[in-house]
Amino acid sequence: MEEEDQRKVTDLVVDLVRRLLPQQNPNSPHFSQSLRYALRILSSCLNPSISPDADAIAESIKRRLATLGNSSDALTFADLYTKFASKNGPGSVHNKWAVLYLLKIISEDRKTAKNGMDFSFLLPNLGLNDDEMGNNVRVLNGKDNREKGWKNGVLLVSKDPENLREISFREFGNLVKEENEVTEEVLVRDVLYACQGIDGKYVKFDSNLGGYALLDSVKVPRATRIIVRKLCELGWLFRKVKGYISESMDRFPAEDVGAVGQAFCAALLDELSEYYKLLAVLEAQSMNPIPLVSENASSGNYLSLRRLSVWLAEPMVKMRLMAVLVDKCKVLRGGAMASSIHLHAQHGDPLVHDFMRQLLRRVCSPLFEMVRSWVLEGELEDIFAEFFIVGQPVKAESLWREGYRLHAGMLPSFISQSLAQRILRTGKSINFLRVCCDDRGWAAAATEAAAAAGTTTRRGGLGYGETDALESLVMEAAKRIDKHLLDVIYKRYKFKEHCLAIKRYLLLGQGDFVQYLMDIVGPELSEPANTISSFKLAGLLESAIRSSNAQYDDPDILDRLRVKMMPHGSGDRGWDVFSLEYDARVPLDTVFTESVMMRYLRIFNFLWKLRRVEHALIGAWKTMKPNCITSHAFTKLQRAVKLQLLSTLRRCQVLWDEMNHFVTNLQYYIMFEVLEVSWSNFSNEMEVAKDLDDLLAAHEKYLHSIVEKSLLGERSQTLYKSLFVLFDLILQFRYHADRLYEGIHELQARTVESSLNSRDKKKSRRQEKDKSSEPGSWISEGRKALTQRASEFLQNMGQDLEALATEYLTLYLAYQMVCFLKACLELSS
């Protein structure tokens, strides 16, 4: 039955060829070649390398026909394929894709044959030739056919009827032995030794080449030498990594290694441990003999150079990465080392990415532990100076501004600058509360922050790749700890109340206190500065407090207000050196630093000078007003003298009005447009401040606004100097006004005395004669002499007032012009 089936298959193949080639003689060589070709195709077991898709293969055939210029054939094929694909059901072809693929392969093979190329090697060798096929392709059952592989009309395929394959393998083995002085098993073991940094029998480290290489005296094919050299690269990389680890561990605990460097070495050692395990497995396999090339060569647990190259492909990638990292990190430590390693993690290869991620988790664990300790405990655990936050010993008042800072060189690239600033501020807040405020409430806030962020306060809660968790923890901790810090500053240390006290006393906002203080210290401050007792001034300050509404302020605030005498020279008066100071103690001295208080002192000196000028004008008014109606006492004087007196008094009054107008407007501008507006803005910013940095920035803005708007800034030095010249002119006016009215009082008294003594002419002559010998006495002079002296005095006073008025008005106009130009420039900018 089996023979009958084989005969039937053979008949079908012959019949198929006859149908395809109806014009060919069955005894012709072409027909025999075609039959042989058909048998090879039908006997082949090749699998296609593309996915089975009938529509895709049909589209490919149609496109190929169109490309060749056979448009009509392409259309015909498309129509035939449509009909072919629509045939379903019994009797139809199920595997349509295979039929199309076969036709396409045959077509391409025929085209190749026409071009003179033979791809018959792609088909299995059936051991047939033209002689074996014979000129007669009829199916024979004779002896010759049975000897040639035919049985019962069926072609029998024999693997190797004459053991030609085994003979070829033996010849190949002999050829390999002739070309190789060393067996491949020995080379594999030497390569494995080299991969561990050990010299083998034939593969040794060459210092000239800087790596492992096969000895030149060993006779091996060039291809073998190349593959050995490529594999030995792993040994060179291993030596570099191993050397770095040994050198670093020998130097530890040196500062240039640090905790991050130690973690890096530990991670490298873990990778080398896995590498050692792989080498142990490979060494066990290398003990098995390598079979010759045969049909069973792919099976068996042996290790050849090519198999070894496959095994070591992934370790080679990892070792190269570790060697590159070792070169990069030799001079780096801490956050800089983590940044350098992180840059190599930005890779598209999943193997490299996962390897670097795992390595970075180990390397960055000390850094993330430092961040956790700093953010939640305020502890700077950085004995090797690897952290991106640096601390330095400072006084308590400088702890916030100078105690801690960011070290940009140690900031890892996977932590943003804004996040680093927030981390810095959070730890600073904890230390500020602990050192300056003697507060422990931050611990509860830190615990709440960790719970809200979903992390733990224990070690190991954070790691590389958890940037979102880190940001969440820092945000929650900063929000709670900063809020607690501001609550302590506002409520426990009454920051707002102290700011208001400075405004009221140093910026002269408490009007009744300032007025009373100026009244009682005025006479004392008119004396030379070196003769004034600071203790007496302190007593006068206490009197001013008790005599004004300041007495109702908090005793702690009043206790901080003190008198300060600035350095002075021999010609200075008390007015020039007197000032008030406010003692801002810890922790308020973080805001009210020494430099800040110096700026407050500068503002106080300006406002104090302005108040002194105002006080001088009020004093001049008190002197001038009672004397405005005293001119009737001089009715007996000559008309010219009376007119001169009235002119001098009028000039003095007009000048006082001008000066008072200027001082009043300037004081209104300073007190309301500058101080009150700035205070209102500062109060609003205090309410919305979220942390101490915001509070410091708000206070700095408040103080800067006062300095600039009060014309005390660097850009207003010209106006500032002009203002003080104007103030000096006003004080000179007060001196001239006092001298004028003192002279008028004296003239008035002498005029009355002269009128009383004129009743007794004889006696007056004798008295005038006697008095004329006394220098500076006007009583003994006659009316003429008195009139002459009054005229001279008034003339001198008029000249002095005229000169003073001219200088004042000139400077005042210049001051107004500069103010106008400054305002225009500010508007334009």
Side-chain angles (χ1 to χ4, degrees), residues 30 58 92 199 231 239 251 275 289 363 401 414 465 508 547 555 599 658 677 683 723 730 788 793 807 812:
H30 181 70
S92 62
D199 286 347
L231 292 174
R239 277 176 60 109
R251 294 202 322 269
Y275 175 67
V363 172
R401 284 187 170 88
F414 51 82
L508 308 184
S547 302
R599 293 163 72 184
E658 290 290 339
V677 172
S683 299
L723 274 178
I730 294 174
Q788 183 178 358
F793 171 75
E807 184 178 2
Y812 179 63

Side-chain angles (χ1 to χ4, degrees), residues 186-195 203 228 231-232 305 308:
V186 175
L187 290 179
V188 168
R189 283 194 290 271
D190 272 18
V191 169
L192 290 176
Y193 289 147
C195 290
V203 178
V228 169
L231 292 174
C232 287
L305 289 175
L308 185 59

Side-chain angles (χ1 to χ4, degrees), residues 747-776:
L747 287 174
Q748 187 177 10
R750 292 180 183 276
T751 301
V752 173
E753 183 181 356
S754 177
S755 299
L756 294 174
N757 292 334
S758 63
R759 297 175 182 176
D760 192 351
K761 292 182 180 180
K762 292 181 180 181
K763 190 176 180 179
S764 65
R765 290 176 182 175
R766 189 180 298 113
Q767 291 177 348
E768 289 175 2
K769 184 177 181 180
D770 295 337
K771 294 294 182 179
S772 62
S773 61
E774 299 179 6

Side-chain angles (χ1 to χ4, degrees), residues 398-647:
S398 303
L399 178 65
W400 184 266
R401 284 187 170 88
E402 303 173 4
Y404 304 97
R405 61 179 178 83
L406 281 180
H407 186 188
M410 290 295 174
L411 180 62
S413 54
F414 51 82
I415 296 180
S416 64
Q417 187 73 23
S418 59
L419 180 59
Q421 289 288 349
R422 194 173 291 113
I423 292 173
L424 171 65
R425 191 184 67 245
T426 304
K428 279 201 307 182
S429 299
I430 294 177
N431 281 277
F432 185 81
L433 286 167
R434 181 165 49 207
V435 176
C436 299
C437 302
D438 193 23
D439 180 80
R440 295 294 181 270
W442 56 266
T447 304
E448 293 176 2
T455 58
T456 176
T457 57
R458 298 190 301 272
R459 292 177 177 268
L462 293 173
Y464 176 80
E466 300 176 356
T467 307
D468 293 339
L470 175 63
E471 290 185 358
S472 177
L473 175 62
V474 173
M475 288 288 292
E476 294 295 335
K479 180 173 64 176
R480 286 169 171 78
I481 294 174
D482 288 337
K483 183 179 183 300
H484 178 71
L485 173 58
L486 292 182
D487 289 342
V488 171
I489 291 292
Y490 287 155
K491 297 176 182 178
R492 180 176 172 184
Y493 291 97
K494 301 179 180 179
F495 175 77
K496 296 179 180 179
E497 288 79 357
H498 287 289
C499 289
L500 182 59
I502 290 177
K503 173 181 176 292
R504 293 170 62 186
Y505 297 116
L506 294 191
L507 302 185
L508 308 184
Q510 186 73 23
D512 57 341
F513 163 77
V514 176
Q515 187 62 43
Y516 191 81
L517 178 65
M518 191 161 287
D519 288 339
I520 61 177
V521 301
E524 189 71 21
L525 297 182
S526 299
E527 301 296 327
N530 53 10
T531 63
I532 299 176
S533 171
S534 58
F535 296 101
K536 185 175 181 180
L537 291 177
L540 296 176
L541 175 62
E542 291 291 334
S543 299
I545 290 175
R546 290 193 300 270
S547 302
S548 64
N549 287 330
Q551 61 181 317
Y552 302 111
D553 276 348
D554 189 346
D556 178 59
I557 291 177
L558 298 177
D559 182 59
R560 297 169 183 256
L561 189 62
R562 299 168 186 174
V563 172
K564 179 180 179 180
M565 300 295 290
M566 293 183 294
H568 52 271
S570 58
D572 292 333
R573 294 282 175 177
W575 290 105
D576 301 321
V577 298
F578 174 81
S579 64
L580 297 178
E581 67 175 353
Y582 195 83
D583 182 18
R585 300 160 192 166
V586 177
L588 298 181
D589 55 359
T590 300
V591 180
F592 303 111
T593 61
E594 184 177 352
S595 61
V596 168
M597 297 311 294
M598 288 298 296
R599 293 163 72 184
Y600 273 118
L601 177 61
R602 188 181 179 194
I603 298 172
F604 171 82
N605 290 334
F606 171 71
L607 297 177
W608 183 253
K609 188 72 175 281
L610 181 59
R611 284 300 184 97
R612 179 190 173 191
V613 168
E614 180 191 26
H615 189 265
L617 288 175
I618 293 174
W621 173 254
K622 291 179 180 178
T623 303
M624 292 165 58
K625 188 169 181 60
N627 290 279
C628 290
I629 57 175
T630 59
S631 58
H632 69 278
F634 300 94
T635 53
K636 297 181 179 180
L637 295 176
Q638 293 182 3
R639 179 178 177 83
V641 176
K642 289 191 291 185
L643 292 176
Q644 190 175 8
L645 174 61
L646 293 175
S647 175

Side-chain angles (χ1 to χ4, degrees), residues 56-69 74 77 104:
I57 197 70
E59 183 65 25
S60 175
I61 295 172
K62 183 174 68 174
R63 188 164 51 249
R64 183 177 182 84
L65 292 173
T67 305
L68 295 175
F77 172 79
K104 181 181 179 184

